[in-house]
Amino acid sequence: MQPEEFWQEYLQAAGIPPDTRYLDCFHFELNERLANELLALVLSGKKRATASSLFSFEAEGIRLPQPGDHSIVTDWAGTPHCVIRTTAVTTLPFCEMTFELCSREGEDDTLASWQRGHRRFFTEEGAELGYEFAEDMPVVFEEFEVVYRK
C-alpha cells in the first residue's frame, strides 16, 4: 500500500477531512535492520519519541514538528505501518539530554548508551546531509502517540 492511500484510510477511519495533510512520511535510522527494529518498538508501544538534529530539518527543508502534527511511519522498504501524532517537542543541546527524556525513545537502558548510538547516527547523517556532529548541537526531541495502524 502506498503512503497516500494509507493516509486516506486513516483520515476516513478517524473522521478527519480528506484534504488534511501530514507533516512527513519516514522510516527511522540509516539502515534496514535498525529502521525495522525501531518501527517494531513503535508498534509495540515501547518507542514513544524520536530525536533528530535540528540541522537535518534545515538541510531537508522540513519544518519542525509541532504538537498535533501527523506523520506516517514506514518500514525500510517504504511500506506504511502507522500514523503518529506529535504530542510534545523539546529542542536542547545534545549534551543536555537527560535519561528521563531520552528513555521515552525506548531504545536504551542508560544515557551513555543513548549518547553512543546517537553520536553515531548524527555523525553518519551529518556526513550525508552536510553538517557536523557537535556535543552542543541542537537536538529536536519529538514525543508522539500512535493514532492509527493497519
Side-chain angles (χ1 to χ4, degrees), residues 75-146:
D75 60 20
W76 179 259
T79 303
H81 285 267
C82 65
V83 175
I84 58 172
R85 181 174 49 228
T86 303
T87 58
V89 178
T90 305
T91 303
L92 68 164
F94 179 88
C95 60
E96 292 182 20
M97 285 293 292
T98 65
F99 187 66
E100 178 193 353
L101 194 57
C102 70
S103 65
R104 297 173 194 159
E105 283 196 79
E107 302 169 38
D108 297 281
D109 295 328
T110 66
L111 178 60
S113 172
W114 182 90
Q115 290 170 333
R116 275 191 307 277
H118 285 75
R119 276 188 192 102
R120 176 201 52 81
F121 176 82
F122 292 139
T123 299
E124 291 176 16
E125 180 187 65
E128 287 183 16
L129 297 179
Y131 72 84
E132 191 168 314
F133 171 78
E135 291 291 320
D136 64 347
M137 74 171 215
V139 172
V140 178
F141 192 80
E142 178 184 3
E143 297 177 67
F144 58 79
E145 61 183 344
V146 173

Side-chain angles (χ1 to χ4, degrees), residues 29 31-38 76:
E29 264 294 346
N31 67 61
E32 183 173 5
R33 180 184 62 82
L34 290 174
N36 293 339
E37 285 178 10
L38 295 181
W76 179 259

Side-chain angles (χ1 to χ4, degrees), residues 21-62:
R21 303 302 313 149
Y22 55 88
L23 175 64
D24 199 7
C25 178
F26 69 95
H27 62 73
F28 294 101
E29 264 294 346
L30 301 172
N31 67 61
E32 183 173 5
R33 180 184 62 82
L34 290 174
N36 293 339
E37 285 178 10
L38 295 181
L39 172 61
L41 289 176
V42 169
L43 295 174
S44 75
K46 188 172 181 185
K47 181 171 179 62
R48 300 170 288 118
T50 190
S52 305
S53 164
L54 175 64
F55 303 137
S56 69
F57 287 97
E58 294 169 351
E60 295 179 327
I62 300 171

